[in-house]
Amino acid sequence: MTLHDGISRRQFVKIGSATAAVGALAGLAGCAGGSGSGSASASASASASASASASSGSATTQTLTDNAGDTVEVPLEINKIVDLWHAHNQVVLMLGAGDKLVGTTENFKKRAWANKVYPGLANVEALVTGQGAGEVNYEEALKLEPDVVFTSDKDVTASCRDQGMCTVNVMFSDFDGLRRDVELTGTILGGDAADIAAEWADLLDANIARVDKVMGSVADSDRVKVLHIQSIDKKQYDGVNTIVDEWIKLAGGVNALTIEGNMKEVPMEDIVSADPEVIIIGGGTEEMVNTLMNDAAWSGITAVKNGAVYGNPSGVFAWDRYSGEEALQVLWAAQKLNPDKFADIDMVKETQDFYKQFYGYTLSADDANRILNGENPA
């Protein structure tokens, strides 16, 4: 059930149009983006800008460095958000600002658990169609008069800024970037969001430390070899030097592939040669797992022979890449890779606790199991 009592600061399910009306007053003039130091590191520590309210003399904006290394001047009061990156919408909900979303992506708007946790998503306009950066409806985005626009693609970022929209690039490719993304977003949203971001970072670090205590000293040669499949149909797999590769290592495994990069096409003979001991299918359902398990081309692989093929959990957003729910991915993967070493982890409870703490939403045990199995709500 969704919490509606207004007591928890995690509560973001708010009904009505009052917030949107306030946001219309903010306008776009207080934000500018430009070239920064060029560093990929973002600092979420904000310094008040020189912009000030004519009536009170108090600062109305803060100057930040986004994840692309650009200096951006952002309003201190954020009431209307346009989020053009599918994954980052999850961060906005996690930090309690779902009611401020006025523009999202078609991809995120269709996510069943996102709608279950935040029913107000049904009223948020989809501005991006397609996968990746997709096709952006800039005209409609402008009409929404957002206080801030979140992006991941450099060309989309530039286009938004060229049209006068306050735009923050939050793209990342590793766990350090994920930490910066959440911290930066918390700083921009203000209020309780910064505290929630810090609590999330503490949880991520605690979960990583929990696994590292057991697996940190284990040599790669003694770790389970893991294959992560992005798309079975397209024969796309995730290689080394990726965020997927990073959580495989954090979870106590080693990537079965040596190719570098995300979503790489790899011939079947190379997969057979790599002979993974565990296979994880991104966005994988039970049907997809069974299809692979019954495919003769995969029958000789150790993971298939041992039944160690799993669909990756997926909730408000997929756990395996670019999501704050990766704090759960580390524990889930650790248990799948080394079940004898992590038998004490109760992933149903971990999932329920996460959703209660960061979304203000109470999952039943069945709900949690559905997320863990990559299934939609009942």
Side-chain angles (χ1 to χ4, degrees), residues 191-233:
D192 290 333
D195 291 336
I196 299 171
E199 290 175 14
W200 173 87
D202 288 344
L203 177 67
L204 174 63
D205 291 343
N207 287 350
I208 290 173
R210 182 176 178 181
V211 178
D212 186 67
K213 183 178 180 181
V214 178
M215 299 300 301
S217 61
V218 178
D220 283 357
S221 58
D222 295 324
R223 290 176 174 233
V224 176
K225 291 192 297 181
V226 183
L227 177 71
H228 187 268
I229 303 176
Q230 167 59 21
S231 172
I232 296 176
D233 294 339

Side-chain angles (χ1 to χ4, degrees), residues 6-29:
I7 297 174
S8 172
R9 71 182 182 184
R10 307 314 188 257
Q11 175 56 36
F12 57 84
V13 181
K14 299 176 183 176
I15 301 173
S17 60
T19 300
V22 172
L25 301 176
L28 305 173

Side-chain angles (χ1 to χ4, degrees), residues 16-27 77-80 100 144-145 147:
S17 60
T19 300
V22 172
L25 301 176
E77 184 175 354
I78 302 295
N79 293 302
K80 298 174 72 175
K100 297 182 179 182
L144 292 172
E145 297 183 312
D147 299 308

Side-chain angles (χ1 to χ4, degrees), residues 153-284:
D153 180 81
K154 65 179 182 180
D155 292 333
V156 172
T157 303
S159 294
C160 287
R161 288 174 179 167
D162 287 345
Q163 295 177 67
M165 288 183 279
C166 175
T167 309
V168 179
N169 189 318
V170 288
M171 181 61 185
F172 59 87
S173 59
D174 55 24
F175 272 75
D176 284 344
L178 173 58
R179 287 184 178 89
R180 291 195 302 270
D181 171 31
V182 175
E183 183 183 6
L184 177 63
T185 305
T187 299
I188 290 170
L189 296 178
D192 290 333
D195 291 336
I196 299 171
E199 290 175 14
W200 173 87
D202 288 344
L203 177 67
L204 174 63
D205 291 343
N207 287 350
I208 290 173
R210 182 176 178 181
V211 178
D212 186 67
K213 183 178 180 181
V214 178
M215 299 300 301
S217 61
V218 178
D220 283 357
S221 58
D222 295 324
R223 290 176 174 233
V224 176
K225 291 192 297 181
V226 183
L227 177 71
H228 187 268
I229 303 176
Q230 167 59 21
S231 172
I232 296 176
D233 294 339
K234 297 179 181 178
K235 296 180 173 61
Q236 291 181 337
Y237 308 90
D238 291 298
V240 298
N241 296 326
T242 63
I243 196 165
V244 170
D245 182 59
E246 190 172 1
W247 63 248
I248 288 173
K249 292 176 182 176
L250 290 171
V254 63
N255 202 319
L257 301 178
T258 57
I259 190 171
E260 185 170 335
N262 283 314
M263 297 178 284
K264 296 296 182 180
E265 292 187 24
V266 179
M268 193 64 206
E269 54 264 33
D270 288 355
I271 301 299
V272 173
S273 177
D275 193 25
E277 297 163 276
V278 173
I279 294 173
I280 297 173
I281 305 172

Side-chain angles (χ1 to χ4, degrees), residues 26-34 66 70-75 78 80-84 102-104 127-128 136-151 154-169:
L28 305 173
C31 182
D66 71 9
D70 291 339
T71 301
V72 189
E73 192 177 339
V74 184
I78 302 295
K80 298 174 72 175
I81 299 167
V82 162
D83 202 325
L84 303 180
V102 294
T104 184
L127 301 171
V128 180
V136 181
N137 189 330
Y138 295 104
E139 182 179 358
E140 288 302 312
L142 278 166
K143 289 180 182 178
L144 292 172
E145 297 183 312
D147 299 308
V148 65
V149 178
F150 291 112
T151 60
K154 65 179 182 180
D155 292 333
V156 172
T157 303
S159 294
C160 287
R161 288 174 179 167
D162 287 345
Q163 295 177 67
M165 288 183 279
C166 175
T167 309
V168 179
N169 189 318

